[in-house]
Amino acid sequence: MELSVRVKTGDKIRLHDIDPGFRAGLDKEQAAESVAELGAKLGDLTNLLYAAGTHSLLVVLQGRDTSGKDGLIRRFLTYINAQSCRVASFKQPTSEELAHDYLWRIHAQAPARGSIALFNRSHYEDVLVVRVHGLVTTATCRQRFVQINAFEELMHRHGTVIVKLMLHISDDEQKERLLEREADPTKSWKLDIADWEERKRWPEYEKAYEEAMSHCSPAHAPWRIVPADRKWFRDLAALSALVEALEPHRDGWMKALEARGREQIRLLAEYRAKEGAGAGTK
Amino acid sequence: MELSVRVKTGDKIRLHDIDPGFRAGLDKEQAAESVAELGAKLGDLTNLLYAAGTHSLLVVLQGRDTSGKDGLIRRFLTYINAQSCRVASFKQPTSEELAHDYLWRIHAQAPARGSIALFNRSHYEDVLVVRVHGLVTTATCRQRFVQINAFEELMHRHGTVIVKLMLHISDDEQKERLLEREADPTKSWKLDIADWEERKRWPEYEKAYEEAMSHCSPAHAPWRIVPADRKWFRDLAALSALVEALEPHRDGWMKALEARGREQIRLLAEYRAKEGAGAGTK
């Protein structure tokens, strides 16, 4: 069963028709077991990715404020091979970043072979927030869709597995979470009056998201819309998407590692034979 | 009169038919005057580019060993606004660079608005040297042409003026320059046995160059083939290409600067008026 909505380029998406509270008939307890299983698999797969060194993983997280991007990253980090993983948060660009094309700062954070990058927001902000605020035209956004597709294809061909997750929460759930932040002194630092302002623009964001996802979902880098009103279901669906994207590489990585292992053993045997011979002639 | 051969995408180029010793009927003395004039213009234009801060300049230099890339860069640097200019030399990639897609290290060196990057070799090595040495297939190279075009278009749309110069020297001239290096203790550090090896492969390089230039010469980033057997003519043709590429922006930059100047004067007048008023009411 699909836990998230996988987009294909050209799909007409209506976020409004996708239930942010979807839970696939599961409850939290049932999910916990699957989450643990998937987490273990993810740990295993990312260890292989690191050791094999032939591929990399890029996870792109987008979603409105309070949709759970930080929470999901924390969840990922409990399972993922830590020494190969880097989190990159793309906030408002600095003046140095603005002086370059919008993909410059993104490309700089692309994961090297054997490693993982978790993007908290991304180049998609350059067709979302800037569009909603009228900083770029629709025509520019459409050019950017083409540029983004070219950029992601470049990474894909280099061996980067790309998983793009749009965390989808309802208006009510967002309101509740914003109010929670006010009430909780450990969370209130995250408060920003702008969040309430941005809330009003959600219908415009929705349209911008829909168009971006519909243009930028090739088979090798599809968007997935993750129902995120329930944090446990968000984690389950997101972990499932990552495992699904990595799993097809498992055999190849295993074979590469086994071949390398055999070669090391062969070299070691050679070395020992020489050492032995050397000792004999001393 | 065209001093270099401007390539258009789709052109069938035969380097063999382009005379590396071409000098447009000029002699060194006549050229010296034009070089000085063009140099002054270039200095002027790059000052404007720096001050206006709306565009950037990328100069890509390619050419076989001893074709004069270093010499031309030194020449440029005598004229160009120095505080806005950076030279990036792309040698054999490091292991960190190899772990990323081939455009990663190139993108990192892209010039910011208001600045200039001089590339000594470039992403074109990834469709030249690696191709000649059989490290990538022809099919991969053709994919890369598409990727390179997308990458350069991204920069172009960001306001980067792109000038790509292929320094074209003859086989005999190269041989002479390699032998000179041996004889000159101030140049012999540049010697590399590999240069002699690469010489043998020139016919293959020629083919690879021809195809790359023919695929990657859109109107906003055409290749120019610069006859380079004569250093003075190489400098003249290269300077001329840079000035030609920048000149169309002069008026726009002047207007932007004048507008900014007027605005500063207005603000200053306002400030003085307030100061005066403030002084009166003390």
Side-chain angles (χ1 to χ4, degrees):
Chain A
M1 186 178 38
E2 291 282 330
L3 302 178
S4 55
V5 177
R6 188 189 167 115
V7 183
K8 281 197 294 289
T9 291
D11 278 356
K12 291 219 186 321
I13 309 146
R14 291 212 53 204
L15 276 170
H16 196 76
D17 296 340
I18 296 169
D19 178 13
F22 179 69
R23 55 184 177 90
L26 299 169
D27 63 29
K28 198 173 173 178
E29 284 66 36
Q30 293 168 313
E33 210 172 303
S34 306
V35 162
E37 257 172 53
L38 287 166
K41 264 194 193 172
L42 181 64
D44 193 34
L45 284 163
T46 56
N47 279 333
L48 282 174
L49 175 138
Y50 174 66
T54 53
H55 289 74
S56 56
L57 171 65
L58 171 62
V59 181
V60 172
L61 296 181
Q62 287 284 158
R64 60 200 298 194
D65 299 312
T66 76
S67 60
K69 300 182 290 295
D70 297 289
L72 184 57
I73 287 172
R74 273 195 305 277
R75 171 63 73 167
F76 285 152
L77 292 177
T78 59
Y79 302 121
I80 284 179
N81 181 311
Q83 64 189 313
S84 63
C85 186
R86 182 173 53 195
V87 179
S89 293
F90 296 99
K91 299 178 199 295
Q92 254 194 317
T94 63
S95 60
E96 170 75 358
E97 289 168 348
L98 279 175
H100 290 87
D101 67 84
Y102 68 100
L103 291 176
W104 180 76
R105 64 174 185 159
I106 309 291
H107 206 165
Q109 299 292 334
R113 283 200 182 100
S115 71
I116 299 165
L118 305 179
F119 281 8
N120 189 343
R121 304 189 187 272
S122 67
H123 42 304
Y124 283 92
E125 289 298 335
D126 295 292
V127 290
L128 293 169
V129 62
V130 291
R131 183 176 193 180
V132 167
H133 286 265
L135 301 174
V136 301
T137 63
T138 300
T140 298
C141 277
R142 294 199 174 138
Q143 273 170 13
R144 289 186 174 183
F145 295 151
V146 177
Q147 292 163 349
I148 287 173
N149 284 336
F151 171 60
E152 292 180 357
E153 207 208 318
L154 174 74
M155 291 193 285
H156 160 67
R157 289 205 188 271
H158 181 71
T160 303
V161 177
I162 303 173
V163 180
K164 303 187 293 200
L165 304 175
M166 192 270 175
L167 306 187
H168 181 45
I169 59 169
S170 64
D171 223 53
D172 288 349
E173 179 67 21
Q174 190 194 36
K175 190 172 179 185
E176 204 167 298
R177 291 186 188 182
L178 285 173
L179 292 171
E180 256 172 47
R181 279 192 185 168
E182 286 177 49
D184 182 347
T186 71
K187 287 184 179 171
S188 54
W189 64 273
K190 273 190 166 189
L191 278 178
D192 189 342
I193 294 168
D195 295 346
W196 289 99
E197 273 305 306
E198 291 301 279
R199 242 179 95 72
K200 295 184 200 159
R201 296 177 185 262
W202 184 243
E204 293 158 73
Y205 271 103
E206 217 162 31
K207 258 190 70 185
Y209 264 109
E210 287 164 355
E211 207 186 325
M213 293 192 288
S214 169
H215 277 84
C216 300
S217 288
H220 58 262
W223 272 103
R224 282 179 174 277
I225 302 162
V226 176
D229 267 6
R230 291 179 168 84
K231 293 175 182 174
W232 58 266
F233 188 80
R234 170 200 77 199
D235 289 351
L236 176 67
L239 282 168
S240 162
L242 258 68
V243 168
E244 189 187 315
L246 294 173
E247 192 64 54
H249 296 282
R250 185 194 289 269
D251 283 355
W253 292 338
M254 284 299 294
K255 272 183 201 144
L257 289 175
E258 280 161 13
R260 211 194 294 161
R262 277 194 303 273
E263 177 63 8
Q264 291 305 325
I265 284 165
R266 197 188 60 74
L267 289 171
L268 192 60
E270 243 180 57
Y271 167 78
R272 283 189 181 135
K274 263 190 220 153
E275 283 283 292
T281 57
K282 251 182 205 161
Chain B
M1 185 178 41
E2 291 283 331
L3 302 177
S4 55
V5 178
R6 188 189 167 114
V7 183
K8 280 197 294 288
T9 291
D11 278 358
K12 292 220 184 318
I13 310 146
R14 290 213 51 204
L15 276 169
H16 196 76
D17 297 340
I18 297 169
D19 178 11
F22 180 69
R23 54 183 178 89
L26 299 169
D27 62 28
K28 198 173 171 176
E29 285 64 38
Q30 293 168 315
E33 212 173 299
S34 305
V35 163
E37 258 172 52
L38 286 167
K41 263 194 193 171
L42 181 63
D44 194 33
L45 284 164
T46 55
N47 279 333
L48 282 174
L49 176 138
Y50 174 66
T54 53
H55 290 73
S56 56
L57 171 64
L58 171 63
V59 181
V60 173
L61 297 181
Q62 288 284 157
R64 61 199 296 195
D65 299 312
T66 76
S67 61
K69 299 182 290 295
D70 297 289
L72 184 57
I73 287 173
R74 274 195 304 277
R75 172 63 73 168
F76 284 153
L77 292 177
T78 59
Y79 302 120
I80 283 180
N81 180 312
Q83 65 189 312
S84 62
C85 187
R86 182 172 54 193
V87 180
S89 293
F90 296 99
K91 299 179 200 295
Q92 253 194 319
T94 64
S95 59
E96 169 76 359
E97 288 168 349
L98 279 175
H100 290 88
D101 67 85
Y102 68 101
L103 291 175
W104 180 75
R105 65 174 183 161
I106 308 292
H107 206 165
Q109 299 291 335
R113 283 201 182 100
S115 72
I116 299 165
L118 305 179
F119 281 9
N120 189 343
R121 304 190 187 271
S122 67
H123 43 304
Y124 284 93
E125 290 297 336
D126 296 293
V127 290
L128 293 169
V129 62
V130 292
R131 184 177 192 179
V132 167
H133 286 265
L135 301 173
V136 301
T137 63
T138 300
T140 298
C141 276
R142 293 197 175 139
Q143 271 170 17
R144 288 186 175 183
F145 295 151
V146 178
Q147 292 162 349
I148 287 172
N149 284 336
F151 171 60
E152 291 180 358
E153 208 209 317
L154 174 74
M155 291 192 286
H156 159 67
R157 289 207 187 269
H158 181 71
T160 303
V161 177
I162 302 173
V163 180
K164 301 188 294 200
L165 304 175
M166 192 270 174
L167 305 187
H168 181 45
I169 59 168
S170 63
D171 223 52
D172 288 348
E173 179 67 20
Q174 191 195 34
K175 190 173 179 183
E176 204 168 298
R177 292 188 187 180
L178 284 173
L179 292 170
E180 256 172 47
R181 278 191 186 169
E182 288 177 47
D184 182 346
T186 69
K187 285 183 180 171
S188 54
W189 64 272
K190 271 191 169 187
L191 278 177
D192 189 342
I193 295 170
D195 295 347
W196 289 99
E197 274 304 307
E198 292 300 279
R199 244 179 94 70
K200 296 185 199 158
R201 297 176 185 263
W202 183 244
E204 294 158 72
Y205 271 104
E206 217 163 30
K207 258 191 68 187
Y209 265 110
E210 287 164 356
E211 207 186 325
M213 292 192 290
S214 170
H215 277 85
C216 301
S217 288
H220 58 262
W223 272 101
R224 282 177 173 279
I225 302 162
V226 176
D229 266 7
R230 292 179 167 85
K231 292 175 184 175
W232 58 265
F233 187 81
R234 169 201 76 199
D235 289 351
L236 176 67
L239 283 167
S240 162
L242 259 68
V243 168
E244 190 187 315
L246 294 172
E247 192 64 56
H249 296 282
R250 184 194 290 270
D251 283 354
W253 293 337
M254 285 299 294
K255 273 183 201 144
L257 289 175
E258 280 160 14
R260 213 194 292 162
R262 278 194 302 274
E263 176 65 7
Q264 292 303 326
I265 285 164
R266 197 187 59 75
L267 288 171
L268 192 60
E270 243 181 56
Y271 166 78
R272 283 189 180 132
K274 264 191 216 153
E275 283 283 290
T281 57
K282 249 182 204 160

